[in-house]
Amino acid sequence: QEVAFITRHQVQEAAVHHFDAAHATGHEPAVDGEVAADCVEEFLTTSLADAEDVARLGGALYGELVLATTDTRQSWTVRQEAPTAPLTWTAGGAPATVSGTASDLLLWLYGRVRLEESDPDLVARFRALASTA
């Protein structure tokens, strides 16, 4: 189980670092859709604020943030059940708060690309409670 986590996370890191290196040389590479969708899910699994983070950061999501891909037809809903509760996610959801290709969603999560956001205030609260280091 630990090896699988490390391998999965390394794919995400490699994809984002590859984008950074290529972008620095003037290229705009896209991550394969299926790989990027799995990376989005891995990000949501490992990088959302837990109860300790919420308390430390003093924040609350107050709403459902829905990420939706335009190419792989996947979506994820991030929510918080109470102001001091951890952030959780489930597969599915609509309407999208942020949508794009799976590659663009992954890169958006890491602040590498801009996407249209239907609720910028909700997105700002999400970003405050999600680790995008």
Side-chain angles (χ1 to χ4, degrees):
Q1 186 176 3
E2 289 180 28
V3 172
F5 160 78
I6 291 168
T7 302
R8 190 178 189 203
H9 190 73
Q10 284 179 333
V11 170
Q12 175 185 317
E13 285 185 346
V16 174
H17 290 311
H18 172 75
F19 173 85
D20 289 342
H23 184 71
T25 63
H27 297 82
E28 293 288 331
V31 180
D32 174 79
E34 294 299 321
V35 171
D38 186 64
C39 289
V40 167
E41 195 164 297
E42 194 275 340
F43 176 93
L44 295 175
T45 300
T46 61
S47 298
L48 295 182
D50 61 19
E52 280 185 27
D53 292 334
V54 169
R56 180 175 46 83
L57 297 168
L61 188 63
Y62 298 126
E64 292 187 346
L65 180 117
V66 178
L67 305 174
T69 66
T70 56
D71 55 347
T72 64
R73 302 197 192 289
Q74 291 171 273
S75 62
W76 303 269
T77 299
V78 179
R79 68 178 53 87
Q80 186 177 31
E81 299 298 328
T84 58
L87 271 60
T88 60
W89 69 272
T90 56
T97 309
V98 181
S99 64
T101 66
S103 178
D104 284 346
L105 280 176
L106 171 64
L107 297 170
W108 175 84
L109 283 168
Y110 279 90
R112 299 325 197 253
V113 301
R114 297 175 73 88
L115 293 174
E116 188 172 325
E117 303 162 351
S118 68
D119 188 340
D121 291 335
L122 178 64
V123 169
R125 290 190 304 275
F126 167 76
R127 287 201 180 281
L129 295 173
S131 172
T132 57

